[in-house]
Coordinates of all heavy atoms in Angstrom, one line a residue:
M173 N 0.8 -1.2 0.0 CA 0.0 0.0 0.0 C 0.9 1.2 0.0 O 1.9 1.3 0.7 CB -0.9 0.0 1.3 CG -1.9 1.1 1.3 SD -3.0 1.0 2.7 CE -4.2 -0.1 2.2
V174 N 0.5 2.2 -0.8 CA 1.3 3.4 -0.9 C 0.5 4.6 -0.3 O -0.6 4.8 -0.6 CB 1.6 3.8 -2.4 CG1 2.3 5.1 -2.5 CG2 2.3 2.7 -3.1
F175 N 1.2 5.3 0.6 CA 0.6 6.4 1.3 C 1.2 7.7 0.6 O 2.4 7.8 0.5 CB 0.9 6.4 2.8 CG 0.2 5.3 3.5 CD1 0.9 4.1 3.8 CD2 -1.1 5.4 3.8 CE1 0.3 3.1 4.4 CE2 -1.7 4.4 4.5 CZ -1.0 3.2 4.8
I176 N 0.3 8.6 0.3 CA 0.7 9.9 -0.3 C 0.5 11.0 0.8 O -0.6 11.1 1.3 CB -0.1 10.2 -1.5 CG1 0.2 9.1 -2.6 CG2 0.3 11.5 -2.1 CD1 -0.7 9.2 -3.8
N177 N 1.5 11.7 1.0 CA 1.4 12.8 2.0 C 0.9 14.0 1.3 O 1.6 14.8 0.6 CB 2.7 13.1 2.6 CG 2.6 14.1 3.8 OD1 1.5 14.7 4.0 ND2 3.7 14.3 4.5
I178 N -0.5 14.2 1.3 CA -1.1 15.4 0.6 C -0.9 16.7 1.3 O -1.1 17.7 0.7 CB -2.5 15.1 0.2 CG1 -3.4 15.0 1.5 CG2 -2.7 13.9 -0.7 CD1 -4.8 15.0 1.2
S179 N -0.5 16.6 2.6 CA -0.3 17.9 3.3 C 0.8 18.7 2.7 O 0.7 19.9 2.7 CB -0.1 17.6 4.8 OG 1.1 16.9 5.0
C180 N 1.8 18.0 2.2 CA 2.9 18.7 1.5 C 2.4 19.5 0.3 O 2.9 20.6 0.0 CB 4.0 17.8 1.1 SG 4.9 17.1 2.5
F181 N 1.5 18.9 -0.4 CA 0.9 19.5 -1.6 C 0.2 20.8 -1.3 O 0.4 21.8 -1.9 CB -0.1 18.6 -2.3 CG -0.9 19.2 -3.4 CD1 -0.3 19.4 -4.6 CD2 -2.2 19.6 -3.2 CE1 -1.0 20.0 -5.7 CE2 -2.9 20.2 -4.2 CZ -2.3 20.4 -5.5
F182 N -0.5 20.8 -0.2 CA -1.3 22.0 0.2 C -0.3 23.1 0.8 O -0.5 24.3 0.6 CB -2.4 21.7 1.2 CG -3.5 20.9 0.6 CD1 -3.7 19.6 0.9 CD2 -4.3 21.5 -0.3 CE1 -4.7 18.9 0.4 CE2 -5.4 20.8 -0.9 CZ -5.6 19.5 -0.5
L183 N 0.7 22.7 1.4 CA 1.7 23.6 2.0 C 2.5 24.3 0.9 O 2.9 25.4 1.0 CB 2.6 22.9 3.0 CG 1.9 22.5 4.3 CD1 2.9 21.7 5.1 CD2 1.4 23.6 5.1
K184 N 2.8 23.5 -0.2 CA 3.6 24.1 -1.2 C 2.9 25.0 -2.2 O 3.5 25.7 -3.0 CB 4.2 22.9 -2.1 CG 5.3 22.1 -1.3 CD 5.9 21.1 -2.1 CE 6.9 20.2 -1.3 NZ 7.4 19.2 -2.1
K185 N 1.5 25.0 -2.1 CA 0.8 25.9 -3.0 C 1.1 27.3 -2.7 O 1.2 27.7 -1.5 CB -0.7 25.7 -2.8 CG -1.3 24.6 -3.7 CD -2.8 24.7 -3.6 CE -3.4 23.8 -4.6 NZ -4.9 23.9 -4.5
K186 N 1.4 28.1 -3.7 CA 1.7 29.5 -3.5 C 0.5 30.3 -3.3 O -0.5 30.0 -4.0 CB 2.5 30.1 -4.7 CG 3.8 29.5 -5.0 CD 4.5 30.1 -6.2 CE 5.8 29.6 -6.4 NZ 6.5 30.2 -7.6
K187 N 0.5 31.1 -2.3 CA -0.6 32.0 -2.1 C -0.5 33.2 -3.1 O 0.5 33.8 -3.2 CB -0.6 32.6 -0.7 CG -1.0 31.5 0.3 CD -1.1 32.1 1.7 CE -1.4 31.1 2.7 NZ -1.5 31.6 4.1
K188 N -1.6 33.4 -3.8 CA -1.6 34.5 -4.8 C -1.9 35.8 -4.1 O -2.8 35.9 -3.2 CB -2.7 34.3 -5.8 CG -2.4 33.1 -6.8 CD -3.5 33.0 -7.8 CE -3.1 31.9 -8.8 NZ -4.2 31.7 -9.8
K189 N -1.2 36.8 -4.4 CA -1.4 38.1 -3.8 C -2.6 38.7 -4.5 O -2.9 38.5 -5.7 CB -0.2 39.0 -4.1 CG 1.0 38.7 -3.3 CD 2.1 39.7 -3.6 CE 3.3 39.3 -2.8 NZ 4.4 40.2 -3.1
N190 N -3.4 39.4 -3.8 CA -4.6 40.0 -4.3 C -4.1 41.4 -4.9 O -4.1 42.4 -4.2 CB -5.7 40.2 -3.3 CG -7.0 40.6 -3.9 OD1 -7.0 41.0 -5.1 ND2 -8.0 40.6 -3.2
I191 N -3.8 41.4 -6.2 CA -3.3 42.6 -6.8 C -4.4 43.6 -7.0 O -4.1 44.8 -7.0 CB -2.7 42.2 -8.2 CG1 -1.5 41.3 -8.0 CG2 -2.3 43.4 -9.0 CD1 -1.0 40.7 -9.3
N192 N -5.6 43.2 -7.0 CA -6.7 44.1 -7.1 C -7.0 45.0 -5.9 O -7.7 46.0 -5.9 CB -8.0 43.4 -7.4 CG -8.0 42.8 -8.8 OD1 -7.2 43.1 -9.6 ND2 -8.9 41.9 -9.1
K193 N -6.3 44.6 -4.8 CA -6.5 45.4 -3.5 C -5.7 46.7 -3.7 O -4.6 46.7 -4.1 CB -6.0 44.7 -2.3 CG -7.0 44.5 -1.3 CD -6.4 43.8 -0.1 CE -7.5 42.9 0.5 NZ -7.0 42.3 1.7
M194 N -6.3 47.8 -3.4 CA -5.7 49.1 -3.6 C -4.9 49.5 -2.3 O -5.2 49.0 -1.2 CB -6.8 50.2 -3.8 CG -7.6 50.0 -5.0 SD -6.6 49.8 -6.5 CE -5.8 51.3 -6.5
H195 N -3.9 50.3 -2.5 CA -3.0 50.7 -1.4 C -3.9 51.6 -0.4 O -4.4 52.6 -0.8 CB -1.8 51.5 -1.9 CG -1.0 50.8 -2.9 ND1 -0.2 49.7 -2.5 CD2 -0.9 50.9 -4.2 CE1 0.4 49.2 -3.6 NE2 0.0 49.9 -4.7
G196 N -4.1 51.1 0.8 CA -4.8 51.9 1.8 C -6.3 51.8 1.6 O -7.0 52.3 2.4
D197 N -6.7 51.3 0.5 CA -8.2 51.2 0.2 C -8.5 49.8 -0.1 O -7.8 49.1 -0.7 CB -8.4 52.0 -1.1 CG -9.9 52.2 -1.4 OD1 -10.7 51.8 -0.6 OD2 -10.2 52.7 -2.5
E198 N -9.6 49.3 0.5 CA -10.0 47.9 0.4 C -10.9 47.7 -0.8 O -11.5 46.6 -0.9 CB -10.7 47.5 1.7 CG -9.8 47.5 2.9 CD -8.6 46.6 2.8 OE1 -8.7 45.5 2.3 OE2 -7.5 47.1 3.2
K199 N -11.0 48.6 -1.7 CA -11.8 48.4 -2.9 C -11.3 47.3 -3.8 O -10.1 47.3 -4.1 CB -11.9 49.7 -3.7 CG -12.7 49.6 -5.0 CD -12.7 50.9 -5.7 CE -13.5 50.7 -7.0 NZ -13.5 51.9 -7.8
M200 N -12.1 46.4 -4.2 CA -11.8 45.3 -5.1 C -12.3 45.6 -6.5 O -13.4 46.1 -6.6 CB -12.3 44.0 -4.6 CG -11.8 43.6 -3.2 SD -10.2 43.0 -3.3 CE -10.4 41.5 -4.1
S201 N -11.5 45.3 -7.5 CA -12.0 45.5 -8.8 C -12.9 44.4 -9.3 O -12.7 43.3 -8.9 CB -10.7 45.5 -9.7 OG -11.1 45.6 -11.1
N202 N -13.9 44.7 -10.0 CA -14.8 43.7 -10.6 C -14.3 43.2 -11.9 O -14.8 42.3 -12.5 CB -16.2 44.3 -10.8 CG -16.9 44.6 -9.4 OD1 -16.7 43.8 -8.5 ND2 -17.6 45.7 -9.3
L203 N -13.3 43.9 -12.5 CA -12.7 43.6 -13.8 C -11.4 42.8 -13.6 O -10.6 43.2 -12.8 CB -12.5 44.8 -14.6 CG -13.7 45.7 -14.9 CD1 -13.3 47.0 -15.6 CD2 -14.7 45.0 -15.7
P204 N -11.3 41.7 -14.4 CA -10.0 41.0 -14.4 C -8.9 41.8 -15.0 O -9.0 42.5 -16.0 CB -10.3 39.7 -15.2 CG -11.4 40.1 -16.1 CD -12.2 41.1 -15.4
L205 N -7.7 41.8 -14.3 CA -6.6 42.7 -14.7 C -5.8 42.2 -15.9 O -5.3 43.0 -16.7 CB -5.7 42.9 -13.5 CG -6.2 43.5 -12.3 CD1 -5.2 43.7 -11.2 CD2 -6.8 44.9 -12.7
T206 N -5.7 40.8 -16.1 CA -5.0 40.3 -17.3 C -5.5 40.8 -18.6 O -4.7 41.3 -19.4 CB -4.9 38.8 -17.2 OG1 -4.3 38.4 -15.9 CG2 -4.1 38.2 -18.3
P207 N -6.8 40.7 -18.8 CA -7.3 41.2 -20.1 C -7.1 42.7 -20.3 O -6.9 43.2 -21.4 CB -8.8 40.9 -20.1 CG -8.9 39.7 -19.1 CD -7.9 40.0 -18.1
L208 N -7.2 43.4 -19.2 CA -6.9 44.9 -19.2 C -5.5 45.2 -19.7 O -5.3 46.1 -20.4 CB -7.2 45.6 -17.9 CG -8.7 45.6 -17.5 CD1 -8.9 46.2 -16.1 CD2 -9.6 46.3 -18.5
G209 N -4.6 44.4 -19.2 CA -3.2 44.5 -19.6 C -3.1 44.3 -21.1 O -2.3 45.0 -21.8
R210 N -3.8 43.3 -21.6 CA -3.8 43.0 -23.1 C -4.4 44.2 -23.9 O -3.9 44.5 -24.9 CB -4.5 41.7 -23.4 CG -3.7 40.5 -23.0 CD -4.3 39.2 -23.6 NE -5.7 38.9 -23.1 CZ -6.0 38.1 -22.1 NH1 -5.0 37.5 -21.5 NH2 -7.2 37.9 -21.8
I211 N -5.4 44.8 -23.3 CA -6.0 46.0 -24.0 C -5.0 47.1 -24.0 O -4.9 47.8 -25.1 CB -7.3 46.4 -23.2 CG1 -8.4 45.3 -23.5 CG2 -7.8 47.7 -23.7 CD1 -9.6 45.5 -22.6
I212 N -4.3 47.3 -22.9 CA -3.3 48.4 -22.9 C -2.2 48.1 -23.9 O -1.8 49.0 -24.6 CB -2.8 48.6 -21.5 CG1 -3.9 49.1 -20.5 CG2 -1.6 49.5 -21.5 CD1 -3.5 49.0 -19.0
K213 N -1.8 46.9 -24.0 CA -0.7 46.5 -24.9 C -1.2 46.7 -26.4 O -0.4 47.1 -27.2 CB -0.2 45.1 -24.7 CG 0.7 45.0 -23.5 CD 1.3 43.6 -23.4 CE 2.3 43.6 -22.3 NZ 3.0 42.3 -22.2
S214 N -2.5 46.4 -26.6 CA -3.0 46.5 -28.0 C -3.0 48.0 -28.4 O -3.1 48.3 -29.6 CB -4.4 45.9 -28.1 OG -5.4 46.7 -27.4
G215 N -3.0 48.9 -27.4 CA -3.0 50.3 -27.7 C -1.5 50.8 -27.9 O -1.3 52.0 -28.2
G216 N -0.6 49.9 -27.8 CA 0.8 50.2 -28.2 C 1.8 50.1 -27.1 O 3.0 50.3 -27.3
A217 N 1.4 49.9 -25.8 CA 2.3 49.8 -24.7 C 3.1 48.5 -24.8 O 2.6 47.5 -25.1 CB 1.6 49.9 -23.4
E218 N 4.4 48.7 -24.6 CA 5.3 47.5 -24.7 C 5.2 46.7 -23.4 O 5.2 45.5 -23.4 CB 6.7 47.9 -25.0 CG 7.6 46.8 -25.3 CD 9.0 47.3 -25.8 OE1 9.0 48.2 -26.6 OE2 10.0 46.7 -25.4
R219 N 5.2 47.4 -22.3 CA 5.1 46.8 -20.9 C 4.1 47.5 -20.1 O 3.8 48.7 -20.3 CB 6.5 46.9 -20.2 CG 7.6 46.1 -20.9 CD 8.9 46.3 -20.3 NE 8.9 45.8 -18.9 CZ 9.8 46.0 -18.0 NH1 10.9 46.7 -18.3 NH2 9.7 45.5 -16.8
V220 N 3.4 46.8 -19.2 CA 2.3 47.4 -18.5 C 2.5 47.0 -17.0 O 2.6 45.8 -16.7 CB 0.9 46.8 -19.0 CG1 -0.2 47.5 -18.2 CG2 0.8 47.1 -20.4
S221 N 2.5 48.0 -16.1 CA 2.6 47.7 -14.7 C 1.2 47.3 -14.1 O 0.2 47.6 -14.7 CB 3.1 48.9 -13.9 OG 2.1 49.9 -13.9
E222 N 1.3 46.6 -13.0 CA 0.0 46.3 -12.3 C -0.8 47.5 -11.9 O -2.0 47.5 -12.0 CB 0.3 45.4 -11.1 CG 0.9 44.0 -11.4 CD 0.0 43.2 -12.3 OE1 -1.2 43.1 -11.9 OE2 0.4 42.7 -13.3
D223 N -0.1 48.6 -11.5 CA -0.8 49.8 -11.1 C -1.5 50.4 -12.3 O -2.6 50.9 -12.1 CB 0.2 50.8 -10.6 CG 0.8 50.5 -9.2 OD1 0.1 49.7 -8.5 OD2 1.8 51.1 -8.8
A224 N -1.0 50.3 -13.5 CA -1.6 50.8 -14.7 C -2.9 50.0 -15.0 O -4.0 50.6 -15.3 CB -0.7 50.7 -15.9
K225 N -2.9 48.7 -14.8 CA -4.0 47.8 -15.0 C -5.1 48.2 -13.9 O -6.3 48.3 -14.3 CB -3.7 46.4 -14.8 CG -2.7 45.9 -15.9 CD -2.3 44.4 -15.6 CE -1.1 44.0 -16.4 NZ -0.7 42.6 -16.0
V226 N -4.7 48.4 -12.7 CA -5.7 48.7 -11.6 C -6.3 50.1 -11.9 O -7.5 50.3 -11.8 CB -5.0 48.7 -10.3 CG1 -5.9 49.3 -9.2 CG2 -4.6 47.3 -9.9
A227 N -5.5 51.1 -12.4 CA -6.0 52.4 -12.7 C -7.0 52.3 -13.8 O -8.1 53.0 -13.7 CB -4.8 53.3 -13.0
L228 N -6.7 51.6 -14.9 CA -7.6 51.4 -16.0 C -8.9 50.8 -15.5 O -10.0 51.2 -15.9 CB -7.0 50.6 -17.1 CG -7.9 50.4 -18.3 CD1 -8.3 51.8 -18.9 CD2 -7.3 49.5 -19.4
S229 N -8.8 49.8 -14.6 CA -10.0 49.1 -14.1 C -10.9 50.0 -13.3 O -12.1 50.0 -13.5 CB -9.5 47.9 -13.1 OG -10.6 47.4 -12.5
E230 N -10.3 50.9 -12.5 CA -11.1 51.9 -11.7 C -11.8 52.8 -12.7 O -12.9 53.2 -12.5 CB -10.2 52.6 -10.8 CG -9.7 51.8 -9.6 CD -8.8 52.6 -8.7 OE1 -8.3 53.6 -9.1 OE2 -8.5 52.1 -7.6
F231 N -11.0 53.3 -13.7 CA -11.6 54.3 -14.6 C -12.7 53.6 -15.4 O -13.8 54.3 -15.5 CB -10.5 54.7 -15.6 CG -11.0 55.6 -16.7 CD1 -11.3 57.0 -16.4 CD2 -11.2 55.2 -18.0 CE1 -11.7 57.8 -17.4 CE2 -11.6 56.0 -18.9 CZ -11.9 57.3 -18.7
L232 N -12.6 52.4 -15.9 CA -13.6 51.8 -16.6 C -14.9 51.5 -15.8 O -16.0 51.6 -16.3 CB -13.1 50.5 -17.3 CG -12.1 50.6 -18.4 CD1 -11.5 49.3 -18.8 CD2 -12.7 51.4 -19.6
E233 N -14.6 51.2 -14.5 CA -15.8 50.9 -13.6 C -16.6 52.2 -13.4 O -17.8 52.2 -13.4 CB -15.3 50.3 -12.3 CG -14.9 48.9 -12.5 CD -14.4 48.3 -11.1 OE1 -14.7 48.9 -10.1 OE2 -13.8 47.2 -11.2
D234 N -15.8 53.3 -13.2 CA -16.5 54.6 -13.0 C -17.3 55.0 -14.3 O -18.5 55.4 -14.2 CB -15.5 55.7 -12.7 CG -14.9 55.6 -11.3 OD1 -15.5 54.9 -10.5 OD2 -13.9 56.2 -11.0
I235 N -16.7 54.9 -15.4 CA -17.3 55.2 -16.7 C -18.6 54.3 -16.9 O -19.6 54.8 -17.3 CB -16.4 55.1 -17.9 CG1 -15.3 56.2 -17.8 CG2 -17.1 55.2 -19.2 CD1 -15.8 57.6 -18.0
S236 N -18.4 53.1 -16.6 CA -19.5 52.1 -16.8 C -20.7 52.5 -15.9 O -21.8 52.3 -16.4 CB -19.0 50.7 -16.5 OG -18.0 50.3 -17.3
Q237 N -20.4 52.9 -14.7 CA -21.5 53.3 -13.8 C -22.3 54.5 -14.3 O -23.5 54.5 -14.3 CB -21.0 53.5 -12.4 CG -20.6 52.2 -11.7 CD -19.9 52.4 -10.4 OE1 -19.7 53.6 -10.0 NE2 -19.6 51.4 -9.7
D238 N -21.5 55.5 -14.8 CA -22.1 56.7 -15.4 C -22.9 56.3 -16.6 O -24.1 56.8 -16.8 CB -21.1 57.7 -15.7 CG -20.4 58.3 -14.5 OD1 -20.9 58.1 -13.4 OD2 -19.3 58.9 -14.6
L239 N -22.4 55.5 -17.5 CA -23.0 55.1 -18.7 C -24.3 54.3 -18.4 O -25.4 54.6 -19.0 CB -22.1 54.2 -19.5 CG -22.4 53.9 -20.9 CD1 -22.4 55.2 -21.8 CD2 -21.5 52.9 -21.5
T240 N -24.3 53.5 -17.4 CA -25.4 52.7 -17.0 C -26.5 53.6 -16.5 O -27.7 53.4 -16.8 CB -25.1 51.6 -16.0 OG1 -24.1 50.8 -16.5 CG2 -26.3 50.8 -15.5
K241 N -26.2 54.6 -15.7 CA -27.2 55.5 -15.1 C -27.9 56.2 -16.3 O -29.2 56.3 -16.3 CB -26.6 56.5 -14.2 CG -26.2 55.9 -12.9 CD -25.5 56.9 -12.0 CE -24.9 56.2 -10.7 NZ -24.1 57.1 -9.9
L242 N -27.2 56.7 -17.2 CA -27.8 57.4 -18.4 C -28.6 56.4 -19.2 O -29.7 56.8 -19.7 CB -26.7 58.0 -19.3 CG -26.1 59.3 -18.8 CD1 -25.0 59.7 -19.7 CD2 -27.1 60.4 -18.7
A243 N -28.1 55.2 -19.4 CA -28.9 54.2 -20.1 C -30.2 53.8 -19.4 O -31.2 53.7 -20.1 CB -28.0 53.0 -20.4
L244 N -30.2 53.7 -18.1 CA -31.4 53.4 -17.4 C -32.4 54.6 -17.5 O -33.6 54.3 -17.6 CB -31.1 53.2 -15.9 CG -30.4 51.8 -15.6 CD1 -30.0 51.8 -14.2 CD2 -31.4 50.7 -15.9
E245 N -31.9 55.8 -17.5 CA -32.8 56.9 -17.7 C -33.5 56.8 -19.0 O -34.7 57.1 -19.1 CB -32.1 58.2 -17.6 CG -31.6 58.6 -16.2 CD -30.8 59.9 -16.2 OE1 -30.6 60.6 -17.2 OE2 -30.2 60.1 -15.1
N246 N -32.8 56.5 -20.1 CA -33.3 56.3 -21.4 C -34.4 55.2 -21.4 O -35.4 55.4 -22.0 CB -32.2 56.0 -22.4 CG -32.7 56.1 -23.8 OD1 -33.3 57.1 -24.3 ND2 -32.6 55.0 -24.5
A247 N -34.1 54.1 -20.8 CA -35.0 53.0 -20.8 C -36.3 53.4 -20.1 O -37.4 53.0 -20.5 CB -34.4 51.7 -20.1
E248 N -36.2 54.1 -18.9 CA -37.3 54.5 -18.2 C -38.2 55.5 -19.0 O -39.4 55.5 -19.0 CB -36.9 55.2 -16.9 CG -36.4 54.1 -15.9 CD -35.8 54.7 -14.6 OE1 -35.7 56.0 -14.5 OE2 -35.4 54.0 -13.7
E249 N -37.5 56.4 -19.8 CA -38.2 57.3 -20.7 C -39.0 56.6 -21.7 O -40.1 57.0 -22.2 CB -37.3 58.3 -21.3 CG -36.7 59.3 -20.4 CD -35.6 60.2 -21.0 OE1 -35.3 60.0 -22.3 OE2 -34.9 61.0 -20.3
Q250 N -38.5 55.4 -22.1 CA -39.2 54.6 -23.1 C -40.3 53.7 -22.5 O -40.9 52.9 -23.2 CB -38.2 53.7 -23.8 CG -37.1 54.5 -24.6 CD -37.6 55.2 -25.8 OE1 -38.5 54.7 -26.5 NE2 -37.1 56.4 -26.0
G251 N -40.4 53.8 -21.1 CA -41.4 53.0 -20.4 C -40.9 51.5 -20.2 O -41.8 50.6 -20.1
R252 N -39.6 51.3 -20.2 CA -39.1 49.9 -20.0 C -38.3 49.8 -18.7 O -37.7 50.8 -18.3 CB -38.2 49.5 -21.1 CG -38.9 49.3 -22.4 CD -38.0 48.9 -23.6 NE -37.2 50.0 -24.1 CZ -36.0 50.3 -23.9 NH1 -35.2 49.5 -23.2 NH2 -35.4 51.4 -24.4
K253 N -38.3 48.6 -18.1 CA -37.4 48.3 -17.0 C -36.1 47.6 -17.5 O -35.1 47.6 -16.8 CB -38.1 47.4 -16.0 CG -39.2 48.1 -15.2 CD -39.8 47.2 -14.2 CE -40.9 47.9 -13.5 NZ -41.5 47.0 -12.4
T254 N -36.2 47.0 -18.7 CA -35.1 46.3 -19.2 C -34.2 47.2 -20.0 O -34.6 48.0 -20.8 CB -35.7 45.2 -20.2 OG1 -36.6 44.4 -19.5 CG2 -34.5 44.3 -20.8
L255 N -32.9 47.0 -19.6 CA -31.9 47.8 -20.3 C -31.5 47.1 -21.6 O -31.2 45.9 -21.6 CB -30.6 47.9 -19.4 CG -29.6 49.0 -19.8 CD1 -30.2 50.4 -19.7 CD2 -28.4 48.8 -18.8
K256 N -31.5 47.8 -22.7 CA -31.1 47.2 -24.0 C -29.9 47.9 -24.6 O -29.4 48.9 -24.1 CB -32.3 47.4 -25.0 CG -33.6 46.7 -24.6 CD -34.6 46.9 -25.7 CE -35.9 46.1 -25.4 NZ -36.8 46.1 -26.5
A257 N -29.3 47.3 -25.6 CA -28.1 47.8 -26.2 C -28.3 49.2 -26.7 O -27.4 50.0 -26.6 CB -27.7 46.8 -27.4
Q258 N -29.5 49.5 -27.3 CA -29.8 50.8 -27.8 C -29.7 51.9 -26.7 O -29.3 53.0 -26.9 CB -31.1 50.9 -28.5 CG -32.3 50.7 -27.5 CD -33.6 50.5 -28.3 OE1 -33.6 50.0 -29.4 NE2 -34.7 50.8 -27.6
D259 N -30.1 51.5 -25.4 CA -30.0 52.4 -24.3 C -28.5 52.7 -24.0 O -28.2 53.9 -23.8 CB -30.6 51.8 -23.1 CG -32.1 51.5 -23.3 OD1 -32.8 52.3 -23.9 OD2 -32.5 50.4 -22.8
I260 N -27.7 51.7 -24.1 CA -26.2 51.9 -23.9 C -25.7 52.8 -25.0 O -24.9 53.7 -24.7 CB -25.5 50.6 -23.9 CG1 -26.0 49.7 -22.7 CG2 -24.0 50.8 -23.8 CD1 -25.6 50.1 -21.3
E261 N -26.1 52.6 -26.2 CA -25.6 53.4 -27.4 C -26.0 54.9 -27.2 O -25.2 55.8 -27.5 CB -26.1 52.8 -28.7 CG -25.5 51.5 -29.0 CD -26.2 50.7 -30.1 OE1 -27.1 51.3 -30.7 OE2 -25.8 49.6 -30.4
V262 N -27.3 55.1 -26.8 CA -27.7 56.5 -26.6 C -27.0 57.1 -25.5 O -26.5 58.3 -25.6 CB -29.3 56.5 -26.3 CG1 -29.7 57.8 -25.9 CG2 -30.1 56.0 -27.6
A263 N -26.7 56.4 -24.4 CA -26.0 57.0 -23.3 C -24.6 57.3 -23.7 O -24.0 58.3 -23.3 CB -26.0 56.0 -22.1
Y264 N -24.0 56.4 -24.5 CA -22.6 56.6 -25.0 C -22.5 57.9 -25.8 O -21.6 58.7 -25.6 CB -22.1 55.4 -25.8 CG -20.7 55.5 -26.3 CD1 -19.6 55.3 -25.5 CD2 -20.5 56.0 -27.6 CE1 -18.4 55.4 -26.0 CE2 -19.2 56.1 -28.1 CZ -18.1 55.8 -27.3 OH -16.9 56.0 -27.8
K265 N -23.5 58.1 -26.6 CA -23.5 59.3 -27.5 C -23.6 60.6 -26.6 O -23.1 61.6 -26.9 CB -24.6 59.2 -28.5 CG -24.2 58.2 -29.6 CD -25.4 58.1 -30.6 CE -25.0 57.0 -31.6 NZ -26.2 56.7 -32.5
K266 N -24.4 60.5 -25.5 CA -24.6 61.6 -24.6 C -23.3 61.9 -23.9 O -23.0 63.1 -23.7 CB -25.7 61.3 -23.6 CG -27.1 61.4 -24.2 CD -28.1 61.2 -23.1 CE -29.5 61.2 -23.7 NZ -30.5 60.8 -22.6
L267 N -22.6 60.9 -23.5 CA -21.4 61.1 -22.7 C -20.2 61.5 -23.5 O -19.4 62.3 -23.1 CB -21.0 59.8 -22.0 CG -21.6 59.5 -20.6 CD1 -21.1 58.2 -20.1 CD2 -21.3 60.6 -19.6
F268 N -20.1 61.0 -24.8 CA -19.0 61.3 -25.6 C -19.4 62.0 -26.9 O -18.8 62.3 -27.8 CB -18.2 60.0 -25.9 CG -17.7 59.3 -24.7 CD1 -18.4 58.2 -24.2 CD2 -16.6 59.8 -24.0 CE1 -17.9 57.6 -23.1 CE2 -16.2 59.2 -22.9 CZ -16.8 58.0 -22.4

C-alpha cells in the first residue's frame, strides 16, 4: 500500500497576492486585470505595470456606472425596465 502525503501538496501551493487590492483602500476591482493588460498593450504599450491595470480598471468601472445610469434613464423614458443595447448606445453618445 502506498501512502501519499497530501499535506505537503497544500503547503507548497503558492498564495496568490490580491493585486486588485488598492493601497490603503480595500476596494476590489470587478474587472480581471490580465485582459486589461492586453487591452493596454493593444494600444501600443510594450510593458504594463500592475498599477496601470488597476488604474484602468477603476476608470472603466466609473465610466461604466455613469453610462449605465444614463442608459437606465433612457429605458425609463421609453417605459421599460429592461436595459437594451440601444440604451447603452444612446448613453454613450450623450457622454462622448
Side-chain angles (χ1 to χ4, degrees):
M173 185 178 278
V174 177
F175 293 98
I176 300 173
N177 187 353
I178 61 170
S179 62
C180 291
F181 172 76
F182 291 109
L183 291 175
K184 290 181 182 179
K185 274 189 169 181
K186 293 182 181 178
K187 289 185 178 180
K188 291 183 179 180
K189 290 183 181 178
N190 191 350
I191 296 172
N192 290 347
K193 237 182 213 184
M194 300 304 300
H195 305 287
D197 186 9
E198 296 299 320
K199 180 181 176 186
M200 298 286 291
S201 174
N202 290 320
L203 300 173
L205 297 181
T206 302
L208 293 178
R210 286 193 296 265
I211 290 169
I212 294 170
K213 283 187 175 184
S214 72
E218 193 171 315
R219 296 176 63 190
V220 182
S221 72
E222 292 300 310
D223 287 343
K225 294 175 196 177
V226 170
L228 180 61
S229 172
E230 290 176 347
F231 176 75
L232 290 174
E233 287 180 15
D234 289 342
I235 293 291
S236 297
Q237 289 173 356
D238 293 341
L239 191 67
T240 300
K241 287 175 186 174
L242 284 174
L244 284 172
E245 287 175 10
N246 188 60
E248 289 172 358
E249 287 173 6
Q250 302 290 321
R252 291 182 280 107
K253 291 183 180 180
T254 304
L255 194 66
K256 295 185 176 185
Q258 66 191 26
D259 300 318
I260 299 290
E261 291 167 4
V262 168
Y264 180 81
K265 289 176 183 174
K266 286 181 183 178
L267 274 179
F268 302 102

